């Protein structure tokens, strides 16, 4: 869990996320507090989730979490089926990154995969049931999220982000098993991640669970030029070497 300076306790996070200058300043403050070499935004992937309509709340000990009060399963499913995201929906976030880059900061942004994105709306067990009982709905929703994530990754690269930490923590092989990973997780990743090969700047750090899924799919191999890099979970909050590069294997 990311550690914050003591004065972060009293911040109005709704105000922070709507104020690019304030958010950029807080990101720099966090960098100094953690003695990092790169910027890791204190709000993690909050701007992305907020733009999708996820209801969030800030808790000092738990960080930013989903507020599930009044969020029925029926409403969540409807919201998932109608997800949309335009680049203009993230104007405040883009401006924050531009301000940080103007100060010659190295910026890392966390991006969550399909299952983690869906999990902001529905409990994980409901997603598993959906794959069996409502496969058409699952395909419709995941298809929409794949398009959104591909666009989001491209936007981050175009905004000048240096590193993207790509994770799907709730859907790791160690949680669902290799059979489910091969049937669902791997194919979803392989519909999203190829867009990275067209990047102009950003390098993509793969969390251990995503990397393992790609390995059991036989879909990744070492490459001196990247653009993917195996990384520990601590790369999100510490200065961890990322010298080992990989690329996807065309299927």
């Amino acid at each position: 869990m990311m550690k914050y300076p003591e004065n972060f306790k009293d911040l109005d996070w709704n105000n922070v996320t709507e104020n690019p200058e304030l958010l950029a300043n807080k990101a720099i403050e966090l960098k100094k507090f953690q003695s990092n070499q790169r910027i890791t935004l204190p709000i993690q992937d909050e701007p992305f989730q907020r733009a999708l309509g996820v209801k969030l709340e800030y808790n000092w000990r738990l960080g930013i979490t989903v507020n599930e009060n009044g969020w029925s399963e029926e409403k969540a499913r409807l919201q998932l089926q109608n997800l949309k995201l335009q680049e203009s929906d993230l104007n405040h976030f883009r401006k924050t990154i531009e301000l940080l880059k103007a100060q010659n900061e190295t910026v890392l942004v966390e991006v969550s995969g399909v299952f983690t994105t869906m999990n902001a709306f529905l409990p994980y067990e409901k997603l598993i049931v959906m794959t069996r009982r409502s496969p058409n709905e699952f395909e419709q929703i995941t298809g929409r999220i794949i398009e959104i994530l591909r666009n989001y990754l491209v936007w981050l690269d175009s905004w000048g982000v240096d590193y993207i930490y790509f994770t799907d923590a709730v859907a790791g092989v160690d949680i669902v098993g290799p059979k489910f990973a091969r049937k669902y997780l791997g194919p979803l990743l392989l519909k999203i991640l190829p867009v990275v090969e067209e990047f102009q700047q950003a390098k993509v750090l793969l969390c251990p669970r995503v990397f393992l899924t790609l390995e059991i799919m036989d879909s990744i191999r070492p490459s001196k030029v990247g653009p993917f890099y195996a990384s520990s979970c601590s790369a999100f909050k510490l200065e961890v070497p990322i010298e080992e590069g990989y690329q996807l294997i065309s299927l």
Side-chain angles (χ1 to χ4, degrees):
M1 179 179 170
M2 189 179 292
K3 294 183 179 179
Y4 301 106
E6 184 73 16
N7 65 343
F8 276 33
K9 284 184 178 180
D10 301 320
L11 287 176
D12 179 349
W13 284 95
N14 288 324
N15 179 50
V16 171
T17 55
E18 295 296 326
N19 188 323
E21 290 80 8
L22 181 57
L23 179 54
N25 289 338
K26 291 302 174 186
I28 293 173
E29 186 177 343
L30 179 64
K31 171 192 169 184
K32 293 178 179 177
F33 175 77
Q34 296 181 330
S35 299
N36 275 0
Q37 298 299 313
R38 64 174 76 109
I39 289 288
T40 53
L41 295 176
I43 52 173
Q44 300 169 28
D45 62 347
E46 190 272 2
F48 174 73
Q49 291 195 14
R50 178 190 285 242
L52 291 181
V54 180
K55 307 302 180 183
L56 301 167
E57 59 184 15
Y58 181 79
N59 181 288
W60 174 243
R61 282 181 288 185
L62 300 178
I64 296 171
T65 59
V66 176
N67 183 351
E68 300 176 350
N69 293 331
W71 193 251
S72 67
E73 180 177 346
E74 181 180 358
K75 181 180 179 181
R77 285 175 177 266
L78 184 62
Q79 185 81 355
L80 281 168
Q81 293 167 11
N82 293 282
L83 284 182
K84 294 180 181 178
L85 186 69
Q86 302 295 325
E87 189 172 8
S88 58
D89 296 331
L90 294 163
N91 278 342
H92 294 310
F93 192 37
R94 177 177 61 182
K95 179 63 174 177
T96 301
I97 293 170
E98 290 173 349
L99 288 169
L100 292 168
K101 293 301 298 178
Q103 299 180 63
N104 296 318
E105 295 288 355
T106 300
V107 179
L108 181 150
V109 173
E110 179 185 16
V111 175
S112 297
V114 173
F115 273 84
T116 302
T117 299
M118 293 174 70
N119 186 233
F121 295 88
L122 284 173
Y124 183 57
E125 59 269 18
K126 297 286 185 181
L127 305 180
I128 298 295
V129 171
M130 188 187 296
T131 63
R132 299 196 302 265
R133 297 183 180 176
S134 307
N136 292 337
E137 182 184 14
F138 180 80
E139 184 176 353
Q140 175 193 352
I141 291 172
T142 55
R144 188 175 292 273
I145 295 175
I146 286 168
E147 180 181 2
I148 288 172
L149 287 174
R150 285 173 60 91
N151 289 338
Y152 183 43
L153 289 169
V154 170
W155 297 338
L156 289 174
D157 178 57
S158 70
W159 298 346
V161 168
D162 299 283
Y163 297 104
I164 295 171
Y165 184 73
F166 191 91
T167 179
D168 210 348
V170 299
V173 176
D174 56 332
I175 297 176
V176 299
K179 182 177 180 180
F180 189 93
R182 289 191 182 96
K183 186 173 182 179
Y184 296 106
L185 306 183
L188 292 174
L189 288 171
L190 293 174
K191 290 178 181 179
I192 298 169
L193 294 179
V195 74
V196 172
E197 296 171 351
E198 303 169 12
F199 278 9
Q200 299 299 310
Q201 174 166 324
K203 295 179 179 180
V204 176
L205 313 182
L206 300 174
C207 82
R209 283 172 172 158
V210 168
F211 187 84
L212 178 57
T213 297
L214 293 172
E215 270 198 326
I216 69 168
M217 295 287 292
D218 294 321
S219 298
I220 198 166
R221 65 185 175 193
S223 170
K224 293 182 179 179
V225 296
F228 300 98
Y229 296 83
S231 178
S232 68
C233 295
S234 59
F236 181 63
K237 54 187 176 181
L238 298 173
E239 184 63 16
V240 175
I242 54 167
E243 298 173 354
E244 191 174 10
Y246 291 84
Q247 67 181 126
L248 295 178
I249 299 173
S250 300
L251 298 181

